[in-house]
Amino acid sequence: MLAERRPKDISTDGAHLAKALDAQAALLPYALGVFAVSLPLFVWIGSFAANRVWMTASFAVFAINWGAFYAVVNWLRDQASQDLNRRARVQVMGGVLWALASVQVSMFALGAGPAREPLLLLATAGAVLCAFFAAPYLVGLLIVAPIAAAGPLVASFSGDRQLGELTWGATALALTLALILNRMFRRQHDLAVQHEHLVDERLRVLEAAERTARSKSDIVATLSHEIRNGLTGVTHVLAAAAGKGGRAAPSREQLNAALDAAQDLIAVLNATLDSETAESGRLSVEAQPFDPVRLVQDLALLDKPNAAIKGLELAVHIDPLLRLRDKGAIVADALRTRQIITNLLGNAVKYTVRGRIEVRLELREGQIAIEIADTGPGLSAEEMEQAFEPFRRIERTGAGVNGAGLGLSLSRQLARLMGGALEARSAVGVGSCFTLTLPFDPDAQCALDAGEMEAAVADTSGAPRALRILIAEDDALNAAMLRAILEQLGHQVVHAQNGRRAADLAKIAEFDLLMFDHRMPVMDGPAATASLREGEGPNRHAPIVAIIDGDGEETTGFLEAGADIMLRKPVTVAGVARALADASALDRRADRAAA
């Protein structure tokens, strides 16, 4: 049906206009039929007219209008009619054609002799029909109806006042009814538009739910595969190290393979969490100036051994304008930028079998462009689109290669969050080139890069050496990892498996620092902290570091119990060193003196 042909993506006003035009277009074939039926009646009445020349001319005009109107009806079926403004003008012009036909018949009736009154009544009926068929579109109604009524009114009043009053009453009534009909149409259109909006909203919600379900399914499938493979290798190596099954101790190569598997697993988990956080809009970046030259050179230096093992040449080309500048820096998140470049370089080394990898750094129109080009297998246009989709891996090039398929999609999201972009071009059998562009401030002073910041935290922690630290952690693996970090930083560690045991130890032995996990059996971290603060033992005023998963309620509970520093899991060397530095800066001597 003509009434169903309308643009899909239109505004609310456009939707009302489209529906009005659709309703009018749905009536047009009926209007065509009505005027076709009235043509023989017009010819019969006109045959009684005194002026046969006027009769012939009127018949010709009537036929021309009928043909033009038929062309308009057919035009509404074409794609060109999707332009609402053009369509509205054409439909109004079609109505004006019939209105002018009514005027012409009225003028013909003035000299028609005995056929005058029947012709005027026919012209009046035509004006009424014009108002009816123009009713769905208010603008068309206000234009077409007055023009169509003008001819019969003028011709009627010029000869017979009683006939003029009858014509006036008929046209006024027709216009009033047409306005009422238009009002009813608009109410129906409002309901239809609201219904369509509700349907569209429901579809959007349904599509979002389906995307979320697919994303969760992909996450589960990817993580289960990667975790199973990674943990299986680590388990075998650890079993050999423990002497189970009579196997010999693992070699250095096996230990390195297990370490690589564990690091790959951590990378997959981090990428998955970052991707989900970015997808939900909760991933934030911190824009600070840093030196792009130093960052690129350091990352290329880290990847050179891996490239050399595969016989690949890894070259770095720096724009001379960047080398000679005393000022100027990228304004972005240094850690996230490092993450993107590390992923791009890692992919280039991973997928390139022979040839070379080039890293180019240059200034482009107020931005820094970092290009990483390789002579790998290359990707087609369709494969490149798939490569940037989450959890999509290219079967032709990714066979036997670890990864979750999140690196490129996450890198593009991070680049956009920092005000930049990540683009790619590739050719099958030639290679690929990925270009990262980020904002550049020519007057900015460089801050520490990501590696320097982390090293600074570890080296300038300010914590005294050989602290006696009590840790309370029920998970053996977490406890071993935390103990290894603390001993790596040079501290002495005492481990308690639950909060009650930690509170009892704190009452009989003095410690420089206490670190309590939140969830523990027998007594949790906040309860152990509150017990320590309320007691009279030697560690009543000792600094307490709370180890939490990141929940705000956990932070509030620990702070209310008396904890001083929050340390979020998973713990890292830099995070622990920072927590120790903050704890060591606390001055509790005044509290102790007051006690």
Side-chain angles (χ1 to χ4, degrees), residues 130-205:
C130 286
F132 172 75
F133 288 114
Y137 181 36
L138 182 60
V139 175
L141 173 63
L142 297 179
I143 295 175
V144 172
I147 295 176
L153 285 173
V154 172
S156 298
F157 275 108
S158 63
D160 186 348
R161 182 176 181 82
Q162 183 178 3
L163 180 61
E165 291 176 351
L166 179 63
T167 303
W168 165 252
T171 54
L173 178 61
L175 183 59
T176 302
L177 293 176
L179 290 172
I180 294 174
L181 183 60
N182 175 267
R183 179 60 179 169
M184 295 174 62
F185 270 117
R186 282 189 290 168
R187 287 185 177 179
Q188 292 297 323
H189 296 162
D190 288 338
L191 293 175
V193 170
Q194 293 176 8
H195 178 264
E196 290 181 355
H197 285 172
L198 290 175
V199 171
D200 291 341
E201 182 65 24
R202 181 179 178 182
L203 289 176
R204 284 195 294 269
V205 172

Side-chain angles (χ1 to χ4, degrees), residues 30-200:
Y30 300 101
L32 202 60
V34 168
F35 285 112
V37 171
S38 64
L39 179 59
L41 179 63
F42 168 69
V43 174
W44 178 69
I45 295 174
S47 65
F48 296 96
N51 192 335
R52 298 301 178 90
V53 177
W54 265 100
M55 166 64 190
T56 304
S58 298
F59 178 79
V61 170
F62 200 98
I64 292 172
N65 285 350
W66 192 93
F69 197 77
Y70 182 80
V72 169
V73 172
N74 286 331
W75 178 83
L76 291 175
R77 296 186 175 95
D78 297 336
Q79 289 296 326
S81 65
Q82 298 302 312
D83 185 342
L84 291 181
N85 292 327
R86 181 189 299 176
R87 180 179 173 185
R89 290 194 295 269
V90 170
Q91 290 188 204
V92 170
M93 288 173 59
V96 170
L97 283 177
W98 281 114
L100 292 176
S102 176
V103 172
Q104 197 274 335
V105 172
S106 301
M107 297 301 102
F108 166 51
L110 290 176
R116 177 178 179 275
E117 289 188 3
L119 285 175
L120 285 176
L121 291 176
L122 184 63
T124 302
V128 171
L129 289 173
C130 286
F132 172 75
F133 288 114
Y137 181 36
L138 182 60
V139 175
L141 173 63
L142 297 179
I143 295 175
V144 172
I147 295 176
L153 285 173
V154 172
S156 298
F157 275 108
S158 63
D160 186 348
R161 182 176 181 82
Q162 183 178 3
L163 180 61
E165 291 176 351
L166 179 63
T167 303
W168 165 252
T171 54
L173 178 61
L175 183 59
T176 302
L177 293 176
L179 290 172
I180 294 174
L181 183 60
N182 175 267
R183 179 60 179 169
M184 295 174 62
F185 270 117
R186 282 189 290 168
R187 287 185 177 179
Q188 292 297 323
H189 296 162
D190 288 338
L191 293 175
V193 170
Q194 293 176 8
H195 178 264
E196 290 181 355
H197 285 172
L198 290 175
V199 171
D200 291 341

Side-chain angles (χ1 to χ4, degrees), residues 18 66 127 180 196 215 242 289 326 328 333 416 464 495 515 533 567 574:
W66 192 93
I180 294 174
E196 290 181 355
S215 176
D326 295 330
D333 192 311
R416 289 173 178 171
H495 174 221
M515 303 181 74
R533 294 293 187 224
L567 178 62

Side-chain angles (χ1 to χ4, degrees), residues 340-341 343-344 370-372 388 407-416 419-425 433-438:
I340 296 173
I341 300 175
N343 178 64
L344 296 178
I370 304 172
E371 286 190 347
I372 299 176
F388 278 100
L408 289 179
S409 63
L410 177 59
S411 296
R412 174 168 282 181
Q413 288 177 308
L414 292 174
R416 289 173 178 171
L422 177 61
E423 305 296 337
R425 59 184 187 274
C433 179
F434 293 86
T435 303
L436 172 65
T437 56
L438 292 172

Side-chain angles (χ1 to χ4, degrees), residues 443-516:
D443 299 320
Q445 294 291 340
C446 297
L448 294 177
D449 66 17
E452 290 175 327
M453 286 189 288
E454 191 164 322
V457 170
D459 293 340
T460 62
S461 64
R465 295 299 174 181
L467 291 177
R468 282 178 52 83
I469 300 176
L470 172 64
I471 62 173
E473 172 63 73
D474 63 307
D475 187 276
L477 182 59
N478 288 339
M481 181 171 59
L482 180 58
R483 182 168 193 155
I485 292 175
L486 291 171
E487 291 178 347
Q488 179 183 344
L489 294 175
H491 305 297
Q492 298 178 6
V493 180
V494 176
H495 174 221
Q497 294 182 344
N498 56 67
R500 172 61 65 189
R501 178 61 177 165
D504 293 341
L505 287 174
K507 292 178 181 178
I508 60 176
E510 185 173 359
F511 296 96
D512 300 304
L513 181 71
L514 300 99
M515 303 181 74
F516 291 164

